């Protein structure tokens, strides 16, 4: 076992084999690091947002891709989803505790990158 590569499954004592294609932890990492997963987690870092607010905050994402990304992150337990029974339904998304824990290093990475970039010039 390589140190730091395998982690214990909650409650079972069995290690995850993150290099095995059937490892559930690998699926979660794939969803988090997908093209849009990172941006959803960063967008939700401060507060919960409705679907249309998320779509507007992440420029370039289609409704279809946002819906697919949110579905995967909700299934993984990183994002919660609340539907208000109105017409039309209002759907709000936010980070679970697990989502905040996973999103924290992504936010740190994003902040470090943006602080080190040269200021953009308009011209």
């Amino acid at each position: 076992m390589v140190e730091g590569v395998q982690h214990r499954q909650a409650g079972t004592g069995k290690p995850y084999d993150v290099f095995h294609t059937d490892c559930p932890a690998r699926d979660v990492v794939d969803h988090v690091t997908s093209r849009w997963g990172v941006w959803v987690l960063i967008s939700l870092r401060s507060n919960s947002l409705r679907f249309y607010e998320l779509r507007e905050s992440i420029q370039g994402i289609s409704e279809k891709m946002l819906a697919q990304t949110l579905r995967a992150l909700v299934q993984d337990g990183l994002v919660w989803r609340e539907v208000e029974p109105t017409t039309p339904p209002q759907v709000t998304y936010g980070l679970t505790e697990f989502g905040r824990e996973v999103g924290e290093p992504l936010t740190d990475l994003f902040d470090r990158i943006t602080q080190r970039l040269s200021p953009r010039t308009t011209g």
Side-chain angles (χ1 to χ4, degrees), residues 87-99:
T87 305
Q90 294 180 352
V91 184
T92 305
Y93 295 89
L95 294 180
T96 63
E97 183 178 340
F98 181 39

Side-chain angles (χ1 to χ4, degrees), residues 12-63:
T12 65
K14 292 177 156 182
Y16 280 116
D17 182 1
V18 296
F19 291 105
H20 192 278
T21 57
D22 293 335
C23 179
R26 189 173 178 165
D27 290 338
V28 174
V29 170
D30 287 344
H31 296 151
V32 168
T33 60
S34 70
R35 179 173 182 186
W36 300 112
V38 170
W39 301 115
V40 168
L41 293 175
I42 289 173
S43 292
L44 292 172
R45 67 184 168 185
S46 300
N47 56 325
S48 57
L49 297 171
R50 292 196 174 139
F51 184 89
Y52 77 90
E53 292 172 321
L54 261 173
R55 190 182 70 230
E56 289 177 4
S57 73
I58 306 171
Q59 294 184 6
I61 193 169
S62 67
E63 283 192 30

